[in-house]
Amino acid sequence: MKPFSYERASSVEAAVRTVAATPGARFLAGGTNLLDLMKLEIEQPTHLVDVGRLPLGQIEATADGGLRIGAMTTNSQVAADARVRAAYPVLTQAIVAGGSAQLRNKATTGGNLMQRTRCSYFYDPSKPCNKRIPGSGCAALGSLAKAGAILGTSDHCIATNPSDMGVALAALGASIETLSADGATRSLTVGELHRLPGTTPQIETDLVVGEMITAVVLPPPPKGGQIYRKARNRASYAGGLASVAVAGGQIALGAVSLRPWRATRTEAALASGATPTEAVEAELAEARSEGRNPFKLALISRLAVAALTQAQGDAA
Amino acid sequence: MKTKITVNGQAHVLDLDARTTLLDGLREHLNLKGSKKGCDHGQCGACTVLVNGVRINACLSLVAMHDGDEVTTIEGIGTVGNLHPLQAAFLERDAFQCGYCTPGQICSAVGMIQEAAQNWPSQETGDLEAAIALTDAEIRERMSGNICRCSAYPQILEAIRDVVGGAA
């Protein structure tokens, strides 16, 4: 790791002010992704502002019948919450499909959303990567890697967003609340948080420097069955090759794009009476396979159709 | 910077480079060599310790993040003369070959049993609103963050099964 200074934030307001005012500063929550990348010197912050103990660790009911999940709740805490399990089972299923128990015990809700979108070439400093060094090229294009994205990609990046939790949040229509250094707060949907790569894949989210996620807000659960399905290389503790979250008529796909991919075309097709197969085909019409990953088209297609069929059966 | 930390019941004040991970702090500065450095990236689980009773990867955490925390390492789980039931079961079932992953496996199992007792779900949990039953599939899934290069997994499962009881 490169040298850095460390401080524990005294308040959310102080944390966002410090990170905004200090070049090279970063928020540190659970640390499970940031410290890993710092060891590899892919991330080289000069100052860490530890926000892990800020009073954002609660899960509260909202007036409209949803839940507000504090950004510093742990992944394990959210997955185990009785209200989440009863009303948002797709969220619990997605969280426990990600990482290991040790990681979920440390990783936070806000940190999970802010983990780096990545591929194996991002992790390999001997290879060009437009996310690590803008303009250096993309070693993943045309490579032997099988994990590349197929939706919303560009000629500059085909990494995938690794979050399982984010896929469920996208399907549930969840929003994030943020605070900026000037005191401004705003709300944006989880689907809007991550940018598509275009020519600037190093910019992963819509947040500005010093802007911090303070909560994730779940609207009341949609009517209908909920399910999370994930396909991967091992039975446990492996990133997804493809995943799908279904919450009633709302669907999101994972491990196929640089963001949790809300499948709006599938949703529209289903709403007009299409079969699950037709509805998934509508979403994948513009999918772009690359090198060794054409299998992902078939995999995500079959997985999504199976999940939709199962969710419809559960709801019936 | 100064960090107050209690390890296995003993209070310490550490004043270390901010880069020092909890794992390196335990091993190199408190001379507790039981927690092992395997991958150093949270992939193998050999560094698993309990922080305020919850299992985490000590390699992916900084000492500075643990001011005021209570850490339990394998040295605090049991002693040669007073083995923890999991330690005794690992010996009885021969649940290791080289032993390098064993401290992490046992600390992880201690945390895992507590998580199940609090009814925390896993991806093997079918009914999210029912009480957790620690089936073999549940135990394997909940221990998937701990890798055993010697592949003593069947014996590790048997040892944990001996302690938690119940049928497979």
Side-chain angles (χ1 to χ4, degrees):
Chain A
M1 274 186 267
K2 299 286 190 191
F4 58 85
S5 49
Y6 169 97
E7 69 173 270
R8 177 167 291 170
S10 55
S11 68
V12 185
E13 293 75 15
V16 294
R17 277 199 303 269
T18 301
V19 171
T22 313
R26 294 285 302 272
F27 297 115
L28 172 69
T32 54
N33 184 228
L34 181 58
L35 294 174
D36 186 32
L37 291 168
M38 286 168 63
K39 289 182 178 193
L40 297 165
E41 300 188 352
I42 293 168
E43 292 275 12
Q44 300 184 4
T46 53
H47 186 65
L48 290 182
V49 177
D50 188 348
V51 296
R53 295 194 188 183
L54 292 177
L56 301 170
Q58 306 299 314
I59 303 174
E60 302 159 335
T62 59
D64 69 352
L67 287 178
R68 174 177 282 104
I69 299 170
M72 291 302 116
T73 50
T74 65
N75 290 175
S76 294
Q77 179 189 349
V78 176
D81 186 89
R83 296 159 293 182
V84 174
R85 289 156 83 159
Y88 306 96
V90 66
L91 181 54
T92 289
Q93 291 169 8
I95 291 173
V96 297
S100 66
Q102 286 97 319
L103 291 175
R104 295 191 295 269
N105 286 347
K106 196 83 178 4
T108 64
T109 299
N112 185 309
L113 288 170
M114 293 305 290
Q115 67 181 310
R116 296 297 304 269
T117 296
R118 54 199 191 250
C119 80
S120 53
Y121 297 97
F122 174 71
Y123 268 87
D124 182 353
S126 73
K127 297 290 193 300
C129 171
N130 288 322
K131 290 166 69 64
R132 256 189 293 107
I133 304 170
S136 64
C138 174
L141 287 167
S143 74
L144 297 176
K146 296 195 292 184
I150 56 175
L151 288 165
T153 59
S154 77
D155 290 337
H156 299 265
C157 188
I158 57 167
T160 52
N161 185 282
S163 175
D164 289 288
M165 182 192 81
V167 184
L169 291 178
L172 289 166
S175 300
I176 60 166
E177 294 178 346
T178 73
L179 178 69
S180 295
D182 60 2
T185 59
R186 66 169 172 154
S187 172
L188 60 166
T189 67
V190 168
E192 293 167 335
L193 173 64
H194 290 91
R195 292 187 182 186
L196 292 177
T199 58
T200 55
Q202 73 276 15
I203 304 170
E204 293 179 5
T205 72
D206 202 43
L207 303 190
V208 299
V209 174
E211 186 174 8
M212 182 178 146
I213 299 173
T214 53
V216 168
V217 179
L218 300 177
K223 286 191 170 54
Q226 294 182 22
I227 188 168
Y228 188 71
R229 293 279 299 268
K230 176 177 179 180
R232 52 184 153 178
N233 285 330
R234 294 193 296 257
S236 181
Y237 196 14
L241 291 169
S243 70
V244 57
V246 179
Q250 300 169 193
I251 298 101
L253 308 178
V256 292
S257 181
L258 290 93
R259 60 162 56 141
W261 188 267
R262 181 78 181 258
T264 50
R265 292 179 183 186
T266 295
E267 294 174 9
L270 285 174
S272 15
T275 65
T277 304
E278 294 164 345
V280 171
E281 275 175 10
E283 194 68 48
L284 298 176
E286 290 178 20
R288 189 177 95 163
S289 62
E290 167 66 37
R292 297 282 293 272
N293 75 0
F295 78 98
K296 279 191 120 173
L297 278 167
L299 188 60
I300 190 65
S301 173
R302 290 172 193 163
L303 198 67
V305 170
L308 283 170
T309 307
Q310 189 175 343
Q312 288 174 352
D314 288 351
Chain B
M1 64 175 298
K2 288 198 169 133
T3 306
K4 289 182 193 169
I5 189 167
T6 300
V7 182
N8 302 329
Q10 192 175 343
H12 300 273
V13 178
L14 297 174
D15 190 3
L16 303 173
D17 186 301
R19 289 174 288 184
T20 313
T21 63
L22 178 58
L23 177 60
D24 286 343
L26 294 169
R27 287 180 55 85
E28 309 301 333
H29 298 279
L30 297 177
N31 202 32
L32 293 165
K33 301 291 176 77
S35 306
K36 296 296 188 284
K37 184 179 283 192
C39 68
D40 209 24
H41 286 281
Q43 297 169 4
C44 76
C47 67
T48 303
V49 299
L50 301 161
V51 173
N52 303 327
V54 175
R55 57 177 167 161
I56 67 164
N57 300 113
C59 74
L60 285 186
S61 205
L62 301 172
V63 167
M65 295 162 71
H66 293 286
D67 192 52
D69 281 347
E70 294 194 11
V71 179
T72 304
T73 68
I74 190 65
E75 289 91 345
I77 297 285
T79 60
V80 172
N82 183 24
L83 293 178
H84 184 280
L86 277 165
Q87 291 173 313
F90 269 63
L91 281 172
E92 175 67 25
R93 291 292 187 172
D94 202 16
F96 42 76
Q97 286 184 45
C98 79
Y100 197 80
C101 75
T102 311
Q105 296 277 0
I106 290 176
C107 285
S108 186
V110 169
M112 183 277 286
I113 291 168
Q114 290 168 355
E115 290 164 12
Q118 294 171 63
N119 216 37
W120 288 14
S122 84
Q123 66 167 2
E124 284 297 324
T125 307
D127 183 352
L128 289 177
E129 298 187 71
I132 301 293
L134 275 182
T135 61
D136 284 356
E138 278 274 15
I139 294 173
R140 285 197 192 95
E141 163 57 26
R142 288 164 188 267
M143 292 295 293
S144 73
N146 292 82
I147 309 298
C148 172
R149 215 213 81 152
C150 307
S151 213
Y153 298 110
Q155 293 79 15
I156 293 170
L157 176 62
E158 287 173 358
I160 296 172
R161 164 70 53 219
D162 286 350
V163 173
V164 301

